[in-house]
Amino acid sequence: LLERIGQEAGVRPEHEAPAGIEVVRRRGTDADYLFLIDHAGRGAEIPAEGVELLTGKPVAGSVTVPEGGVAVVRGPKPTPGGE
């Protein structure tokens, strides 16, 4: 029901992700943080830019969420009006 209401209201997710992947963005004063959790156990590639904090690896284009795992990406803070 909520999904249908959201669609009718024109609400779109901030970040597209496959079913079973939870995506949460938190905005900090210096950076944004993207938390990705695989509840389905299938893994996924999710568009992202920044640094994956659990591995320390740079992310350019997409980050891999491991099967049944998590990824946390620290990205640049958007400039005002550029979101």
Side-chain angles (χ1 to χ4, degrees):
L1 176 63
L2 289 177
E3 184 175 334
R4 182 177 57 92
I5 292 169
Q7 287 175 347
E8 289 173 3
V11 175
R12 301 284 179 260
E14 180 178 328
H15 226 86
E16 293 293 328
I21 301 292
E22 179 180 352
V23 180
V24 177
R25 180 180 304 277
R26 294 289 181 247
R27 300 198 185 281
T29 56
D30 298 327
D32 281 0
Y33 298 87
L34 188 63
F35 297 85
L36 305 156
I37 305 169
D38 177 13
H39 295 286
R42 290 185 287 242
E45 288 288 320
I46 304 295
E49 298 287 334
V51 175
E52 204 291 319
L53 295 179
L54 302 178
T55 64
K57 294 181 180 177
V59 175
S62 68
V63 64
T64 300
V65 182
E67 294 179 6
V70 300
V72 181
V73 179
R74 181 181 195 265
K77 181 88 175 157
T79 56
E83 297 182 276

